[in-house]
Amino acid sequence: MANHKIKNMAERKYQKVYTSNPVADADPLTKERIAVLEHYIMKNCLWQFNSRGWDRRKQNAGILGKTAQLLCGEPVDVSVPLEKCYWVDAVMLERAYRKLCPWLADLSKDDIKALMQLLNARMDWLTIDGSLNQELTVVNY
Amino acid sequence: MPYHEFEVSKVIPERKQHAVMKGAGEDLTSCLPLGYLNTIPGSISERGCAYCGAKHVIGTPMKDVIHISHGPVGCTYDTWQTKRYISDNDNFQLKYTFATDVKEKHIVFGAEKLLKQNIVEAFKAFPDTKRMTIYQTCATALIGDDIDAIAQEVMEEMPGTDIFVCNSPGFAGPSQSGGHHKINIAWINQKVGTLEPEITSDYVINYVGEYNIQGDQEVMTDYFKRMGIQVLSTFTGNGSYDDLRGMHRAHLNVLECARSAEYICDELRERYGIPRLDIDGFGFKPLADSLRKIGLFFGIEERAEAIIQEEIARWQPELDWYKERLRGKKVCLWPGGSKLWHWAHAIQEEMGVKVVSVYTKFGHQGDMEKGVSRCGEGALAIDDPNELEGLEALDMLKPDVIFTGKRPGEMAKKVNVPYLNAHAYHNGPYKGFEGWVRFARDIYNAIHSPIHKLSLIDISKDEIDAGKGFQTRRMISDEGLPEEIRKSTELREYTGKYDSVSALREKTYPEFPRAEAGTEAVAE
Ligand code: SF4
């Protein structure tokens, strides 16, 4: 029987990043925009629901980070299969967002990045740090 | 927390944390039931055991294998007629069920000898089948039978045979889900990497968490083949034992039922660097997006797009015919695990129904996260319900139809709520574009069947209005529909065949030239 050693044990130890909803203090327009972006993900996507917290952190950062790059017309790293897989979900999200949110076209690159960063924080809160799911901190698959 | 307390469960106060009603502004940080915990004593659960999850759900859909239960014959109950994971080799794994038939005397004196005798007998009876899986059960685990040692002995004595041992007795987890986990991990530890597969395409996937219920896998594989993708293995529906030993060579794991098979995808990602791509094979938009994603990954999105256009042009008018007649119907989506989130959003968007409740027998909180997110406000989410809670919920929510397993389904029928089999389907397959229309047709037939009114008439005392004539589904469903829909020449009922799967087995597929050896296909 194969004896598999877990390589990333340190990162599997749960570390909280957010202690409250990071969107709570945003202005009403930003809140409204984040809600639309979040709503689409929660209804249509599955990538945000990997079973463990450390994977969710990577998924959120990987896919939303690449979506932000795509929305800003910047090059995206697809050099290794894992990155390419994030890119695939990011492309789908970017297309949906462009259709759903015509106002994105009027935002500057910096504004898009700031908004996507806040969305990333919100998703981390919703699916990891604020989540009631007790299995996220289990260290094995 | 918007917990929902059932009247019938007030005597089991712990149950309160297992049901929530999603209110306005609620999200996952405030609204999520507990899950994947041991069933509370006193609550008559609808769950299966960990052996059942390992064998009957995940192991047995493998098609070219002798599957033996080592235990009392009763453990094999869920085999012949209760499962519908068909296969293209004349359903070998469904037709032949093996058990060692352990009796009291074996519990006293040990059952290893009996096991060995059964293994040898089975291999001799089916000389063409050289692969076997053996499942531990409660009784044989408790007496400490060493299945591994016996399997090893036989493999040495019968060269050419290969045996997989699954140590997941019934008590090894709170529900069948414990068994899903155990067999995932056991398979990757024992078997993945023990055989080098032949690679025939530049685009190679494992299709994971797919059990070929009424042909689902064959429908999906048809799309993949039309795209020139090699499906190296399917974990496990219609899957081959030896193909599954070569899972480590795929470029991508396409994951359908994350509940039962995400573990092996996560391990393959970590051990072999194969990415995990979650998809939905149900619903036009989710399925189209899934095919696009796979296409994007391999840089062949145009092949996916061609299939999507063709399939949607063929099936959309039929889906819409049903959608017009299902609008606003209330649905209780009460499957075992993953379908609560696979279906929750898609049936509302594409069939016009409203999901008033989701429940899961063996799902984890992760499944409820997906389910609660995907259904709307006011939906009642229940974890591991008992029968009385189910009845109370039906009484409170008054759904038009419920999608569940056959045991709770029969109970629903008794209170005059039509039921569709969410696990094994009624007239599936339900995956694929055509499959989604077949599902819509089944829902339509369930809700609008005249039998529900007739069944309420008590012929021993009720007056029968003989002058009223009979009713058909169409008369019931079209009452109140606008004329342009009733008489639409664009919309039409399902026109597919009774059997939508067998023809796929005869199909030939286009040859796509491969990139030169040594060059990798890259995404644009
Ligand atoms: S709980 Fe134990 S005895 Fe019952 S079916 Fe499962 S393995 Fe067999």
Side-chain angles (χ1 to χ4, degrees):
Chain A
M1 186 179 290
N3 194 3
H4 173 63
K5 271 220 175 74
I6 295 169
K7 285 176 243 151
N8 58 347
M9 205 32 128
E11 79 179 33
R12 290 185 176 195
K13 298 267 185 281
Y14 173 64
Q15 282 155 3
K16 222 181 177 77
V17 174
Y18 299 100
T19 50
S20 64
N21 179 9
V23 184
D25 298 327
D27 61 83
L29 180 63
T30 307
K31 268 189 189 163
E32 195 187 303
R33 286 176 166 171
I34 292 283
V36 174
L37 302 176
E38 173 194 320
H39 182 83
Y40 183 84
I41 296 174
M42 298 308 264
K43 293 288 180 197
N44 295 284
C45 303
L46 293 168
W47 49 258
Q48 72 276 25
F49 288 125
N50 270 215
S51 60
R52 301 292 179 252
W54 76 86
D55 275 338
R56 288 187 180 188
R57 193 87 71 196
K58 285 195 256 181
Q59 292 282 115
N60 290 351
I63 291 156
L64 295 174
K66 285 186 171 21
T67 309
Q69 288 174 322
L70 289 168
L71 287 169
C72 294
E74 292 173 2
V76 178
D77 173 22
V78 290
S79 57
V80 290
L82 293 173
E83 294 293 336
K84 201 197 271 183
C85 199
Y86 292 147
W87 168 78
V88 162
D89 274 314
V91 170
M92 298 307 290
L93 201 55
E94 179 228 9
R95 288 180 190 167
Y97 280 175
R98 284 197 195 278
K99 229 199 237 157
L100 199 67
C101 314
W103 43 263
L104 273 169
D106 302 327
L107 296 189
S108 70
K109 281 188 183 183
D110 286 348
D111 286 346
I112 290 176
K113 279 188 186 150
L115 191 69
M116 290 301 290
Q117 242 161 29
L118 195 57
L119 177 65
N120 191 345
R122 169 71 184 157
M123 290 303 296
D124 274 8
W125 171 246
L126 208 54
T127 62
I128 309 167
D129 299 316
S131 168
L132 299 166
N133 184 344
Q134 298 173 356
E135 278 184 67
L136 297 177
T137 53
V138 176
V139 294
N140 295 317
Y141 286 130
Chain B
M1 174 77 86
Y3 288 131
H4 176 81
E5 187 168 39
F6 286 97
E7 284 297 318
V8 290
S9 288
K10 284 204 161 132
V11 289
I12 320 174
E14 302 95 313
R15 280 292 306 155
K16 192 175 167 185
Q17 289 174 292
H18 290 262
V20 295
M21 179 92 79
K22 188 174 172 183
E26 298 280 358
D27 63 32
L28 298 179
T29 62
S30 59
C31 175
L32 192 71
L34 292 178
Y36 194 53
L37 296 173
N38 287 338
T39 293
I40 302 156
S43 184
I44 308 295
S45 172
E46 292 164 356
R47 288 166 155 180
C49 70
Y51 147 85
C52 165
K55 178 182 186 289
H56 300 323
V57 177
I58 297 196
T60 314
M62 265 188 260
K63 65 183 173 186
D64 45 8
V65 182
I66 294 166
H67 301 282
I68 295 192
S69 296
H70 183 37
V73 76
C75 298
T76 58
Y77 162 76
D78 267 312
T79 49
W80 288 303
Q81 51 89 30
T82 69
K83 297 293 175 193
R84 290 184 181 170
Y85 30 65
I86 59 173
S87 61
D88 58 12
N89 63 342
D90 201 21
N91 305 310
F92 177 82
Q93 79 291 354
L94 279 180
K95 281 202 307 205
Y96 300 104
T97 290
F98 303 82
T100 52
D101 194 15
V102 167
K103 298 269 198 317
E104 284 87 340
K105 69 173 180 196
H106 303 113
I107 300 299
V108 177
F109 298 108
E112 288 179 359
K113 232 197 257 167
L114 177 76
L115 174 64
K116 184 165 177 185
Q117 179 197 327
N118 269 270
I119 299 173
V120 172
E121 211 174 278
F123 272 138
K124 285 194 174 149
F126 294 92
D128 296 334
T129 306
K130 302 242 182 270
R131 302 290 175 258
M132 176 179 286
T133 64
I134 309 176
Y135 302 86
Q136 186 70 280
T137 61
C138 294
T140 47
L142 286 170
I143 61 170
D145 271 8
D146 189 345
I147 300 182
D148 279 309
I150 304 293
Q152 208 55 48
E153 235 174 81
V154 176
M155 282 192 279
E156 276 158 30
E157 287 169 20
M158 301 181 89
T161 58
D162 199 88
I163 302 176
F164 166 69
V165 176
C166 181
N167 246 313
S168 179
F171 54 76
S175 66
Q176 52 265 66
S177 185
H180 305 157
H181 181 231
K182 286 210 151 39
I183 193 170
N184 270 246
I185 302 297
W187 187 265
I188 191 161
N189 281 343
Q190 287 179 46
K191 294 297 170 199
V192 174
T194 60
L195 198 84
E196 283 306 318
E198 191 197 343
I199 302 298
T200 58
S201 165
D202 292 331
Y203 318 114
V204 185
I205 64 169
N206 292 314
Y207 188 26
V208 184
E210 163 56 57
Y211 303 102
N212 203 30
I213 309 295
Q214 291 201 349
D216 275 353
Q217 185 260 9
E218 293 173 74
V219 169
M220 294 294 288
T221 305
D222 172 58
Y223 300 141
F224 300 145
K225 286 187 191 160
R226 281 154 75 181
M227 288 168 70
I229 293 171
Q230 179 186 2
V231 181
L232 189 59
S233 72
T234 303
F235 189 88
T236 55
N238 200 29
S240 160
Y241 184 103
D242 279 353
D243 289 349
L244 284 157
R245 294 164 74 189
M247 288 181 96
H248 59 297
R249 289 292 178 221
H251 304 150
L252 180 69
N253 285 317
V254 173
L255 176 59
E256 189 89 60
C257 173
R259 175 64 286 120
S260 60
E262 67 181 342
Y263 318 99
I264 197 162
C265 277
D266 289 340
E267 292 289 351
L268 285 164
R269 182 167 61 184
E270 180 161 305
R271 298 185 197 189
Y272 297 99
I274 308 170
R276 155 186 170 175
L277 187 70
D278 291 44
I279 67 156
D280 278 302
F282 298 105
F284 281 20
K285 178 184 182 310
L287 171 56
D289 280 352
S290 299
L291 295 177
R292 284 189 187 107
K293 286 201 292 184
I294 299 166
L296 266 167
F297 185 86
F298 290 119
I300 48 172
E301 197 191 0
E302 72 291 347
R303 296 185 194 169
E305 206 56 59
I307 294 170
I308 295 163
Q309 300 310 333
E310 185 187 328
E311 295 285 329
I312 287 185
R314 169 71 181 85
W315 298 109
Q316 189 76 54
E318 304 190 5
L319 182 65
D320 290 346
W321 190 93
Y322 292 103
K323 181 179 185 179
E324 292 300 342
R325 288 157 177 86
L326 293 174
R327 269 185 207 286
K329 295 294 176 198
K330 290 194 286 179
V331 166
C332 278
L333 182 43
W334 288 358
S338 65
K339 288 190 188 91
L340 78 96
W341 43 267
H342 272 312
W343 291 353
H345 185 57
I347 48 172
Q348 299 193 106
E349 290 292 301
E350 301 188 357
M351 297 188 198
V353 300
K354 181 167 172 48
V355 176
V356 292
S357 175
V358 284
Y359 91 20
T360 173
K361 294 179 182 59
F362 56 79
H364 296 216
Q365 285 185 297
D367 299 285
M368 272 300 188
E369 284 181 299
K370 297 177 199 176
V372 168
S373 304
R374 285 184 164 191
C375 53
E377 277 167 18
L380 175 63
I382 321 165
D383 168 66
D384 184 22
N386 60 49
E387 185 176 302
L388 294 176
E389 290 172 347
L391 284 168
E392 187 177 318
L394 290 181
D395 191 43
M396 180 176 86
L397 300 166
K398 310 239 171 327
D400 295 293
V401 66
I402 117 171
F403 308 148
T404 190
K406 60 182 210 156
R407 287 177 290 257
E410 295 304 323
M411 169 200 86
K413 272 192 205 163
K414 288 184 184 166
V415 292
N416 209 40
V417 177
Y419 122 82
L420 283 186
N421 191 330
H423 308 314
Y425 306 157
H426 269 63
N427 300 288
Y430 288 166
K431 272 187 188 157
F433 294 94
E434 179 175 2
W436 197 237
V437 179
R438 290 171 80 96
F439 184 27
R441 178 187 59 168
D442 278 356
I443 302 174
Y444 171 82
N445 284 342
I447 292 179
H448 295 297
S449 169
I451 192 71
H452 305 305
K453 278 187 194 163
L454 284 173
S455 68
L456 287 180
I457 298 171
D458 182 346
I459 53 169
S460 68
K461 52 177 197 272
D462 290 345
E463 284 272 317
I464 311 284
D465 187 352
K468 225 175 160 190
F470 68 95
Q471 278 193 304
T472 63
R473 281 186 288 269
R474 189 74 187 268
M475 286 161 72
I476 297 171
S477 69
D478 285 13
E479 208 181 315
L481 271 189
E483 178 145 341
E484 70 271 17
I485 291 172
R486 261 190 297 128
K487 301 211 167 132
S488 165
T489 49
E490 266 150 47
L491 306 182
R492 57 175 190 265
E493 284 184 77
Y494 178 65
T495 56
K497 293 193 180 120
Y498 169 72
D499 172 3
S500 61
V501 176
S502 298
L504 297 175
R505 295 174 185 166
E506 313 302 326
K507 235 173 127 168
T508 49
Y509 292 90
E511 294 262 340
F512 293 98
R514 293 188 63 181
E516 278 175 43
T519 56
E520 274 284 290
V522 262
E524 284 129 32

